Amino acid sequence: MNDSLRLKSAGVPGQDQPATGPSEHEVAISLDDVSLRFGGSSTAVLDHIDLTVMKGEILVVIGPSGCGKSTMLNLVSGTLQPTSGSVTCFGSPVSGLNHNVAYMTQKDTLLPWRTALDNAAMPLELKGMARAERRARAREILDLVGVGHAAGQRPHQLSGGMRSRVSLARALLSDAAIFLMDEPFSAIDALQRVRLQQMLVDLWAATSKTMIYVTHDLEEAIALGHRVIVMGRNPGRIAVERTVPVAHPRNVALFRNTDEAHDRYSELWESLERQFDS
Amino acid sequence: MSTELLTGADTASAGSPVRRWVRRPGRRSLSVAVARLLTAFAVLLIWQYSPQGVVPTIAVSRPLPIIRSFGHLVRTGELFSGTWATAEQVLYSLVLGALIGVVLAILTWAPIGRWLLGPLISASYAIPKVGLISFYILLLGVDTKAHVVFVTGFVLFAYYFAVRDAFEDLDRDKLTALRLMGASRLALFRVYVLPSAVPYLFTATRIAVPLAFASEVFAELEMPTATGLGVSLEQATDSLDASTSMAIALFIVLIGYLLDLLIGARLRRYTESIGTGLVL
């Protein structure tokens, strides 16, 4: 059984039909003329951003440090509010915390005194699910993401890759429709990173989650994204936007060496370099 | 076990070869122990046999009379009854102080609580508490209650500031992640805030226990009571019995040291179990 099918049978929340690509009609996230300034600063952290993310789309955001990539995720999660403009999620304005999203950052947010199993089961615990039931479901998802054998370990006993998998399991159990991922695999060694990227693609294929993925790695951006946006800084803005013309789910390791990937890489690299120079 | 499991983390798990190697009493730790014993023995020898003018024996006596006085205190049972009486007040004060300190920290976690209570608590901390002894006697009478309130006045601040620090050190990303999962304020408190404060509570207890012992002994010296280490100390001092005074004082030091070792070991075990403490 492939991962997509196993995810379905494990009851991971998502679409009933296998994912084919982003919805052409349903908008998941929309940023309309969004600007953000901190504490009366004259330079905008984000300046007149217009962005639409379709349901089931993997949008990858790349750009130099300080261009507002993470800030944009914070606006979508509702932990920050724009100075002007509006952010909507499935048509509703984001005015407080956006409970439609699960947030994964480079530094995992697992609780050190809890086992991997209890960390993964946290969203179910917060929903009031009975202990035995939530642990059974969490165990199933941990098995699925390849860390079932470490269910009883605490986070410090796991490698970075394993902690990322536990975080992913927790995000899956949170039933959030949108995954916000801020360089979640950047601190992980290259081989593990590719395996995690492939797992993410497989999860997307099984669940059709909408994902906004921030990275510094252009190869990763092209391998994962339906669409890649390059951001510029001073002020933070969308400089370039390109779709990746190969259907998902992709084989992440092999796709990197295709002509399509190389062409997109060269094109986006030039744009990215211009943003670093600016 | 997966090959992905960290070797660094393995050092934290009980029974790992690295940990067994580190914990095994080796030649080095044996020599350290011997060196410490020899140093202590040398100090005792100098103290015992130095000329009269060098050591003020009228105040600090000498080791052999101190050991004899200690033996007498043990044989008569005075040491045990006094220790129990003091420890009882210390225990009540610690429980009460911890409770008040934690509750105050929780109340001042919210901005409104901090605004209302923060200055009051800071001002209370600055009050010279020994100056309040007469106030406690007037208010509560010559009673052990006055002792408990006096000692609590010291230890509650250890808990208050420790728990405040715990709250200030909370990880914003973790708070956000849990809130995005739908955690209510109460749930957030239960699953994250309070467990985060556990190592801080251990540290506060480590500070509070010797502080409570010292202040209770002081209270027994200043506020009359029937039994206690402070009472025995005062009786010995009043009768210019330096060796008994020193025996009691050193016994208090020993209790403090042993409790510190005990709480420290428990704290270390806990922090190691969650991967935040030093393994070695």
Side-chain angles (χ1 to χ4, degrees):
Chain A
M1 191 187 286
N2 67 27
D3 278 351
S4 307
L5 292 175
R6 287 204 300 141
L7 278 164
K8 291 287 181 205
S9 65
V12 172
Q15 280 187 182
D16 293 333
Q17 300 299 317
T20 50
S23 163
E24 287 179 9
H25 309 292
E26 197 174 351
V27 174
I29 298 285
S30 175
L31 279 76
D32 300 309
D33 197 24
V34 165
S35 293
L36 180 74
R37 284 183 165 76
F38 284 131
S41 163
S42 58
T43 310
V45 180
L46 290 173
D47 192 35
H48 299 291
I49 301 283
D50 282 302
L51 179 69
T52 301
V53 187
M54 305 307 289
K55 186 181 175 195
E57 180 178 7
I58 304 178
L59 173 80
V60 181
V61 184
I62 192 163
S65 297
C67 69
K69 304 184 294 288
S70 302
T71 307
M72 199 159 73
L73 293 193
N74 289 334
L75 286 170
V76 175
S77 70
T79 50
L80 279 179
Q81 295 301 316
T83 313
S84 64
S86 67
V87 182
T88 54
C89 180
F90 294 112
S92 305
V94 177
S95 52
L97 279 183
N98 183 356
H99 295 295
N100 284 309
V101 307
Y103 208 146
M104 271 185 72
T105 50
Q106 181 184 345
K107 188 166 70 79
D108 69 71
T109 55
L110 302 175
L111 301 182
W113 51 85
R114 286 186 167 230
T115 61
L117 184 70
D118 288 332
N119 266 297
M122 177 68 84
L124 306 177
E125 182 179 338
L126 293 172
K127 281 180 187 141
M129 188 181 279
R131 181 180 159 88
E133 192 185 346
R134 70 175 185 250
R135 285 173 71 104
R137 283 196 58 192
R139 193 175 290 279
E140 216 171 338
I141 303 292
L142 286 178
D143 279 337
L144 197 69
V145 296
V147 281
H149 61 282
Q153 305 281 346
R154 290 189 168 138
H156 76 281
Q157 295 170 304
L158 306 175
S159 68
M162 293 173 86
R163 285 201 295 272
S164 291
R165 286 166 193 263
V166 176
S167 300
L168 257 180
R170 190 177 69 174
L172 283 168
L173 286 167
S174 76
D175 203 8
I178 299 164
F179 280 14
L180 304 180
M181 311 185 89
D182 193 354
E183 302 185 55
F185 308 142
S186 61
I188 293 162
D189 67 85
L191 185 62
Q192 281 303 321
R193 194 157 62 235
V194 173
R195 291 181 65 194
L196 284 164
Q197 288 162 356
Q198 188 60 56
M199 196 182 69
L200 196 67
V201 168
D202 292 340
L203 286 173
W204 173 85
T207 62
S208 233
K209 299 279 185 193
T210 307
M211 299 182 187
I212 306 182
Y213 192 103
V214 166
T215 182
H216 274 112
D217 180 348
L218 188 51
E219 267 192 35
E220 182 178 48
I222 295 165
L224 291 181
H226 289 107
R227 191 159 48 115
V228 178
I229 61 172
V230 177
M231 291 188 69
R233 60 184 167 194
N234 301 321
R237 66 199 185 284
I238 296 174
V240 177
E241 181 179 329
R242 293 285 180 273
T243 53
V244 181
V246 174
H248 259 309
R250 301 171 191 144
N251 182 320
V252 170
L254 297 180
F255 176 65
R256 287 162 194 263
N257 294 320
T258 61
D259 291 340
E260 290 96 331
H262 287 157
D263 291 347
R264 204 42 106 213
Y265 187 96
S266 311
E267 185 187 355
L268 284 168
W269 178 250
E270 277 179 32
S271 311
L272 201 54
E273 265 197 322
R274 277 198 296 276
Q275 301 317 314
F276 276 105
D277 294 338
S278 67
Chain B
M1 185 178 281
S2 160
T3 50
E4 266 192 74
L5 284 176
L6 281 178
T7 49
D10 279 345
T11 59
S13 60
S16 76
V18 174
R19 182 153 172 167
R20 277 203 302 275
W21 179 81
V22 168
R23 287 287 161 93
R24 195 174 53 201
R27 193 172 286 176
R28 188 170 165 270
S29 53
L30 189 69
S31 17
V32 168
V34 169
R36 280 178 183 167
L37 276 174
L38 285 176
T39 309
F41 192 66
V43 170
L44 289 174
L45 275 180
I46 294 165
W47 184 4
Q48 179 67 38
Y49 296 108
S50 56
Q52 188 75 26
V54 176
V55 175
T57 48
I58 193 155
V60 297
S61 189
R62 291 193 188 267
L64 286 176
I66 290 171
I67 292 167
R68 275 195 293 273
S69 296
F70 187 79
H72 176 74
L73 286 168
V74 171
R75 275 195 306 280
T76 57
E78 189 184 340
L79 193 70
F80 300 116
S81 60
T83 304
W84 173 243
T86 302
E88 201 179 4
Q89 307 311 317
V90 164
L91 195 67
Y92 293 145
S93 308
L94 284 171
V95 171
L96 197 62
L99 203 68
I100 296 171
V102 171
V103 168
L104 285 177
I106 292 169
L107 288 176
T108 53
W109 190 33
I112 180 80
R114 194 157 51 245
W115 187 78
L116 280 172
L117 294 172
L120 196 67
I121 296 170
S122 300
S124 308
Y125 181 57
I127 292 174
K129 288 155 204 67
V130 288
L132 294 177
I133 285 182
S134 319
F135 172 74
Y136 292 138
I137 292 173
L138 283 173
L139 199 70
L140 301 163
V142 182
D143 191 72
T144 50
K145 280 202 290 286
H147 286 216
V148 172
V149 172
F150 176 73
V151 178
T152 301
F154 285 93
V155 297
L156 76 90
F157 291 100
Y159 287 98
Y160 169 73
F161 286 115
V163 178
R164 279 293 309 277
D165 276 354
F167 291 169
E168 278 164 21
D169 288 349
L170 289 173
D171 185 330
R172 277 182 171 276
D173 289 342
K174 285 181 179 144
L175 281 171
T176 304
L178 289 166
R179 285 172 68 208
L180 285 170
M181 281 179 227
S184 63
R185 265 185 170 266
L186 193 66
L188 208 58
F189 212 78
R190 183 177 58 80
V191 300
Y192 179 48
V193 178
L194 277 186
S196 297
V198 169
Y200 293 81
L201 285 171
F202 273 121
T203 307
T205 305
R206 205 171 176 179
I207 295 167
V209 167
L211 184 65
F213 259 100
S215 44
E216 172 56 22
V217 168
F218 182 78
E220 287 166 2
L221 292 172
E222 297 299 315
M223 290 189 266
T225 185
T227 51
L229 288 174
V231 177
S232 304
L233 188 63
E234 187 172 37
Q235 284 167 354
T237 313
D238 285 350
S239 56
L240 298 177
D241 183 354
S243 58
T244 304
S245 298
M246 282 302 288
I248 295 167
L250 289 174
F251 181 64
I252 293 168
V253 168
L254 185 69
I255 291 174
Y257 179 65
L258 291 177
L259 285 172
D260 183 65
L261 280 184
L262 196 73
I263 301 163
R266 188 70 195 84
L267 172 65
R268 206 159 37 250
R269 209 160 62 218
Y270 178 76
T271 53
E272 278 176 22
S273 77
I274 61 168
T276 56
L278 289 172
V279 174
L280 300 182

